[in-house]
Amino acid sequence: LIYLGVTDWLEEDSLRWWAFAIAGLQLLFQTNRIIELRFLAHHESRKTSRIRMMVGIAGSLLQVLLILTNQPVLAFLWAVIASSALGFIANRINLASAWKGRQGKFDFSLAKNALSQGWPFILISAGAVLNLRIDQVMLGSLAGTAAVGIYSVATRFTEALFFIPDAVGQSFTPSLMKTKRERPFALARDFQRMFDVMMLIGIVISGTVIIFAEQLVLTLYGSEYAESILVLRVHAGIFILVCMGK
């Protein structure tokens, strides 16, 4: 941040640098995922699922408010970081309550072993991030920043909904683990029930977004982004596949 602050005096357009620095602060709150995995391992994922759902809704409402009040780009980045920080604090309070005053200790050998075994997943995660954003980079190179804005308006709606199948999938995990341990013959049936629920959620939400896409875009963004309506309807159909993938 200090380096980027210095370059602010040297670079005429330093917005991208500040945006990169602020977005990088979000990495500080990625340890929140470790807390979620702890609750998942103890069959208590409902606590973290509720937190993720509430934080996701609050973050989306905050971004809508920023849009309606015509705030600058940096305000949206700070809003994302605020949402991540809120989720981290809420999960940390849950963890302190579960530990009841006990303090965890850092195990360097365990961390080293986990890192040595987890590097394939690191590469997979990096590839997933690139796959999620490469379309906007390519669109910007081929059609300009205006087209990226039209496309981003549509994708933000559906991406804001991605936490729903993730939360529902996590809520099924404890029961599936219990079924595998106590009644393995019924595991396939329970998996089918989960897929049925996820499919139903995907169809209902996708259908709702497709039907009301025009009202959503025109109400929140105005007629200047009318071209995003078709993109939103197409992207909403992908939500069904996202649900099934969870």
Side-chain angles (χ1 to χ4, degrees):
L1 284 175
I2 295 176
Y3 169 74
L4 294 176
V6 172
T7 58
D8 183 60
W9 296 91
L10 303 177
E11 299 288 343
E12 182 178 353
D13 182 14
S14 60
L15 177 61
R16 69 180 62 181
W17 294 101
W18 282 107
F20 181 80
I22 295 174
L25 291 176
Q26 191 178 8
L27 295 175
L28 296 175
F29 304 105
Q30 292 301 311
T31 52
N32 188 39
R33 182 58 180 166
I34 300 176
I35 301 177
E36 293 179 348
L37 291 175
R38 183 267 173 197
F39 282 102
L40 180 62
H42 289 76
H43 299 177
E44 299 175 350
S45 60
R46 291 184 179 180
K47 297 180 180 179
T48 57
S49 296
R50 285 195 295 264
I51 292 175
R52 293 187 66 183
M53 185 171 297
M54 289 186 293
V55 170
I57 294 174
S60 299
L61 292 176
L62 177 59
Q63 293 188 25
V64 170
L65 178 62
L66 294 176
I67 293 170
L68 295 177
T69 54
N70 297 318
Q71 296 299 316
V73 174
L74 293 182
F76 288 87
L77 294 173
W78 284 116
V80 172
I81 293 177
S83 298
S84 300
L86 180 62
F88 176 80
I89 293 172
N91 276 328
R92 189 65 182 83
I93 293 174
N94 263 340
L95 183 62
S97 176
W99 278 350
K100 298 180 180 179
R102 292 177 296 168
Q103 295 293 327
K105 296 182 179 180
F106 180 78
D107 190 331
F108 181 79
S109 60
L110 181 62
K112 182 179 179 181
N113 182 56
L115 183 61
S116 64
Q117 296 185 21
W119 67 265
F121 299 100
I122 297 176
L123 296 178
I124 292 173
S125 299
V129 172
L130 290 176
N131 182 62
L132 187 62
R133 298 301 179 189
I134 194 63
D135 51 354
Q136 298 183 19
V137 176
M138 294 175 59
L139 186 60
S141 300
L142 296 174
T145 55
V148 175
I150 296 295
Y151 180 81
S152 298
V153 164
T155 57
R156 287 301 298 172
F157 278 108
T158 50
E159 288 176 3
L161 300 173
F162 282 178
F163 75 92
I164 296 177
D166 195 16
V168 174
Q170 286 191 15
S171 66
F172 271 102
T173 302
S175 62
L176 291 174
M177 294 174 62
K178 183 178 180 180
T179 300
K180 182 179 180 180
R181 183 175 60 254
E182 299 179 357
R183 297 178 297 124
F185 58 88
L187 186 60
R189 183 198 61 191
D190 288 355
F191 262 114
Q192 185 60 53
R193 287 179 178 176
M194 183 187 70
F195 286 131
D196 293 341
V197 171
M198 300 297 278
M199 174 66 79
L200 180 60
I201 292 175
I203 292 174
V204 171
I205 295 180
S206 296
T208 303
V209 173
I210 291 173
I211 293 172
F212 295 102
E214 182 175 356
Q215 289 82 351
L216 288 172
V217 173
L218 296 182
T219 301
L220 296 177
Y221 293 98
S223 58
E224 296 85 357
Y225 291 90
E227 296 180 36
S228 300
I229 297 174
L230 179 59
V231 181
L232 176 58
R233 285 172 173 162
V234 174
H235 209 259
I238 303 175
F239 185 73
I240 299 177
L241 301 179
V242 174
C243 290
M244 297 304 297
K246 295 298 182 179

